[in-house]
Amino acid sequence: MASWEQLGELSTVTQLTGLDAVRLIGLIVQAATTARMHRKNCRQFAQHLKLIGNLLEQLKISELKKYPETMEPLEQLEDALRRSYILVDSCQNRSYLYLLAMGWNIAYQFRRAQNEIDRYLRLVPLITLVDNARVRERLDSVARDEREYTLDEEDRKVQDAILDRDPSTNHTTVLEKSLSCSYPNMPFDEALKKEREKLQMELQRSQVNMDIGQCEVIQHLIGVTHNVATTLEEKSAHLKTPKKVELSYSGDNSYKGHTFDENYHEQDTKSTYSCRIL
């Protein structure tokens, strides 16, 4: 499974360099509002960070960085927030099926991210620098704010379905419903194609990280999308094939049949017709 450290390699973290903790929290909160997957986890995480942001806004970060005893933990806090932004942003831009299949691992990473951020915040001796009852109160509220990161019941059902390796499982129905929510303005076949492209990128990342277990899961997901796409193509080809009609002659000078052209509208005649679709 992708580790917390590996997630930080998936985007250009250097682009976030130079942003202080308050601005980073603002970016994370904004990214949480557009997440396609793990929306509840993203919202929970953002709400916790707002408490920290409200606390830090009351303090002058630039002033705190002048003190050796607060500079290092603040820099570590900012590093953790940069990785947290990558985590939340991934819930919008990475493969929907990948995020679904790795659901419990990602939920764990949210818990780990919050614990890491809170740990670095506690290392900053804010109380000794600012003896303020309001600051102490907000710091206590952060410590008491415990969040639960998990998977929604509906996501768990879809996860179980797409990870099922039983060939009889109807993945088409499952994907058609779930992808329509993730790609609301895109036809199903195009959404499948988009997912395969993203899954190929996930596979390359996993191969670089030499994560064999994750590679196997992603290869299974790619196979599911391929099989569903093949099923759709076969169904489409079948619908486009003209239906053949067998005509037979009866002894009473009337034809038993309908028409060679399925778009032909039957005319009202006295003859008796019967049709057998081949």
Side-chain angles (χ1 to χ4, degrees), residues 245-250 252 254-258 272-275:
V245 180
E246 181 184 83
L247 294 177
S248 61
Y249 182 74
S250 64
D252 57 358
S254 63
Y255 281 102
K256 292 182 179 180
H258 196 273
T272 302
Y273 292 86
S274 64
C275 180

Side-chain angles (χ1 to χ4, degrees), residues 26 45 62 67 90 94 170 178 204 249 266:
F45 189 62
S62 58
Y67 300 92
S90 72
R94 296 181 75 173
N170 189 354
S178 56
Q204 292 175 8
Y249 182 74
E266 182 179 7

